[in-house]
Structures are given as structure tokens and as C-alpha cells.
Amino acid sequence: MTMAMVMNAPMIPVQQQQLQDMYSRGLLSRPRPNLYVLGTVHIGSKSARDAQLLIETVQPSTVVLEVPPSRLTRILLREEEQNGGGGGGGGGVVRRRKMTEKESEEERENDTMEGQSSSGPKQKTDMAMMMKAIQMLPALASEGLTKGGLSGLLFSTIIVWPSLVKRSTTSQEEGQSLPRLNEFEAAIFAARDVGATIIPADMEFEDLIQNVARSMNEKNPLREWTALGISILSESIGLRQGDPVRRRPGESMIEWENRRRNINTARASRNHGESSIPKVSRVLVEERDAEFARICMDILDDEEEEEG
């Protein structure tokens, strides 16, 4: 996930050790005087603490999150329910829309598979999480076929679903060695507490399916999917190096988290995607990054016009 903070005015450089660590790892950058960009990982709690610290320090006017609008809405609605409908307090402004019942259920499943929420139920066992992932196959297959035809079906079943199953096998170990704090929630609540506008800037899952299908269908979809299948098979049997972001044999959860919290790992993973699954990587990485950057630039332009 990526998030960006837009400030009302440039801040004095902060010397806090934690922020310096973010800079040194390449997690935090400042491409403009009034723009901070923070990269996070979906494991452990350090990314959640990074987001909270940065927002509390910078006091931004706007926080842009690489999260779909429906998920932002679900997180806020869940907190409202837990607080008896009181809205959770705080003065932040949120640009959101009402979720459909179908989207609400999809987001619940997404949150369950991504990891333990800071305000959610107790960690489930690996077996329960695996069963949940297995049971999601028919729904994912149906969604993929409906939204993206054959390419959408293949994307949902051979890329998305296996990643959910794999993630489910380590949920209990992660809960024991790296208690999970959700970086989405941490950023949302911190932004709200400082009165920042919160803007979601990621695709909905159905849009992701459609865009991947479009990318794969541009020339010869059969050839593209065959090449992708061969690449995945070669990695699974050890004939080709897998994604560098994946957990290595014998690597502890803490070691894995530390390695993922390094810009070199992220760059290596991106290079791997561009070479092994270029059409899919273009949508999952390049197009999403471009849309995120566009939204950030639009906000900066709007604020500069208001100040001018």
C-alpha cells in the first residue's frame, strides 16, 4: 500500500529516529516540499505505526490512501457500529460513497484474508483461515468470469485465489510472532484525528479484473496466459526464481517483515513482475501507481489554486 500526505505548508525537517529510519529504508520520500509519500507492507504492525507517526508529525491537510472507496467506507462503518453509531469522533472529512450489500461482503472477506485488524475479532486458526480461502473460490471465479470473461476468470483463480490460500497458511504464526495492526485503519483514524481529508485512491476489485482482462486480451490472450502459466509453474517447481517479496525457506516472520520493509526488496519484486507477468504487472503496479500519482497531483494543484 502507498499513502501520501499533502500539507498546508512546508514543515521543518523532523529529526525523530523513526522518521529517519523510514527515509533510510526508502519507505518515505518527499518529492515536493508539501508532499510526503509512504510505502507500507501488509504484515506485522510497523507499517501501521509508521503511518500514525507520520500523520501525527506532519499534520497534513489531506491523506491519500491506496485503498478502494468501498473498503474505506467499510472500515468507517464498522467503527461507527462499535461506537454505537456515534461516528467515532474526530474532525476529519472523508470522501466516500455508500456501499452495496455485495461490496460490503466482499470487503469483509478481503479484510479477513489480508490479516488481523486492529479492532477486529481474535486471530483465527490457520485451518479456519484456509477453509475461508478455499470457500472463496466459487465467488472469485464467478466475479472474474462476469467482469472479465475468460481472462477475468483466469486472473481470479490462478493469481488472486492462490495468493489468498497461501496467506491463510501463515495467519496463526503471524498472529503469534507479529501481532497485526492494520495500516489502513491506523492511517484513517490518525488522519481523522488531525482533521485531514481522507481520499481513497485505488481500484475496486471488479475494476481490477476488467483492467487485467483488457491488458491480457490486447493481442493474443491464449499466448499471454500460456506464457504466464509456464512462468508460474517454473517458479513453483524451482526452475525459475520466484518473487523476491515472498517468504524464503527458514525465514522467520520478523526477518521477513524486516526484509520487506526495504526499498530494494520492493524494486526487485517490481522487476520480477515486469519480466514474468508483464501484462498483469502493468495493471497491478504501473496503472495503479499512475492513478495514485494523478490524484496526488490534482490535490496539490487544487491547493495551490486556492492559496493563489
Side-chain angles (χ1 to χ4, degrees):
M1 182 190 79
T2 307
M3 61 184 70
M5 290 85 192
V6 180
M7 301 165 7
N8 289 316
M11 62 169 287
I12 298 174
V14 179
Q15 299 301 319
Q16 294 188 42
Q17 182 60 43
Q18 291 134 303
L19 292 184
Q20 292 304 316
D21 181 64
M22 294 182 216
Y23 276 116
S24 65
R25 288 175 176 268
L27 296 172
L28 179 62
S29 65
R30 191 178 180 184
R32 289 196 179 186
N34 57 343
L35 177 65
Y36 285 80
V37 180
L38 175 67
T40 65
V41 298
H42 305 310
I43 183 175
S45 303
K46 291 181 179 179
S47 286
R49 297 192 181 99
D50 288 348
Q52 182 176 358
L53 173 65
L54 183 60
I55 292 171
E56 290 175 348
T57 302
V58 171
Q59 299 279 306
S61 58
T62 304
V63 173
V64 183
L65 298 175
E66 195 176 49
V67 60
S70 60
R71 187 161 193 195
L72 172 60
T73 299
R74 186 194 59 75
I75 291 173
L76 292 167
L77 289 177
R78 182 175 63 192
E79 196 206 16
E80 289 177 5
E81 292 172 358
Q82 292 176 344
N83 285 280
V93 178
V94 181
R95 299 185 190 177
R96 57 175 175 163
R97 62 177 175 79
K98 183 176 178 57
M99 291 175 63
T100 65
E101 182 177 349
K102 181 175 181 294
E103 287 173 335
S104 181
E105 176 60 28
E106 288 174 352
E107 286 302 306
R108 274 202 250 356
E109 291 176 348
N110 185 33
D111 187 61
T112 298
M113 296 314 306
E114 182 173 296
Q116 175 67 20
S117 161
S118 59
S119 58
K122 292 182 179 178
Q123 191 78 16
K124 296 184 178 182
T125 64
D126 283 352
M127 183 58 68
M129 292 291 286
M130 183 179 293
M131 290 303 299
K132 178 69 174 177
I134 292 173
Q135 292 168 3
M136 289 175 66
L137 178 59
L140 284 172
S142 176
E143 184 81 356
L145 185 62
T146 301
K147 301 299 181 182
L150 180 58
S151 285
L153 172 66
L154 292 173
F155 171 67
S156 298
T157 55
I158 72 174
I159 294 181
V160 177
W161 184 67
S163 69
L164 298 180
V165 174
K166 186 167 183 141
R167 178 63 188 267
S168 70
T169 62
T170 62
S171 60
Q172 191 171 22
E173 180 185 0
E174 182 179 349
Q176 293 171 348
S177 58
L178 284 175
R180 179 88 164 109
L181 288 177
N182 188 292
E183 62 277 4
F184 293 102
E185 292 186 1
I188 291 166
F189 299 152
R192 186 199 57 196
D193 289 344
V194 302
T197 299
I198 306 169
I199 299 180
D202 198 9
M203 300 178 190
E204 298 290 352
F205 183 55
E206 62 183 37
D207 297 325
L208 204 61
I209 293 174
Q210 292 172 346
N211 289 345
V212 168
R214 166 187 50 78
S215 180
M216 294 295 285
N217 292 341
E218 283 178 347
K219 293 184 178 179
N220 188 329
L222 178 60
R223 183 179 63 189
E224 295 292 347
W225 283 108
T226 300
L228 188 148
I230 293 174
S231 177
I232 293 175
L233 179 61
S234 299
E235 290 182 13
S236 65
I237 62 178
L239 295 179
R240 180 173 179 170
Q241 184 177 2
D243 190 338
V245 82
R246 292 178 183 170
R247 189 179 181 187
R248 296 168 177 169
E251 190 173 41
S252 70
M253 278 288 180
I254 294 176
E255 291 170 339
W256 189 28
E257 180 190 34
N258 288 333
R259 186 168 59 81
R260 287 178 62 174
R261 285 172 52 81
N262 189 294
I263 190 63
N264 292 329
T265 302
R267 287 171 177 165
S269 179
R270 179 167 184 156
N271 291 337
H272 172 271
E274 290 174 350
S275 63
S276 62
I277 50 173
K279 293 293 186 71
V280 176
S281 178
R282 186 175 71 185
V283 175
L284 296 184
V285 181
E286 295 175 21
E287 292 185 7
R288 291 169 71 198
D289 285 354
E291 179 63 10
F292 184 86
R294 182 194 65 77
I295 291 174
C296 291
M297 292 302 100
D298 286 348
I299 294 169
L300 287 173
D301 291 341
D302 290 344
E303 293 206 350
E304 288 175 0
E305 287 180 6
E306 291 177 2
E307 293 174 0

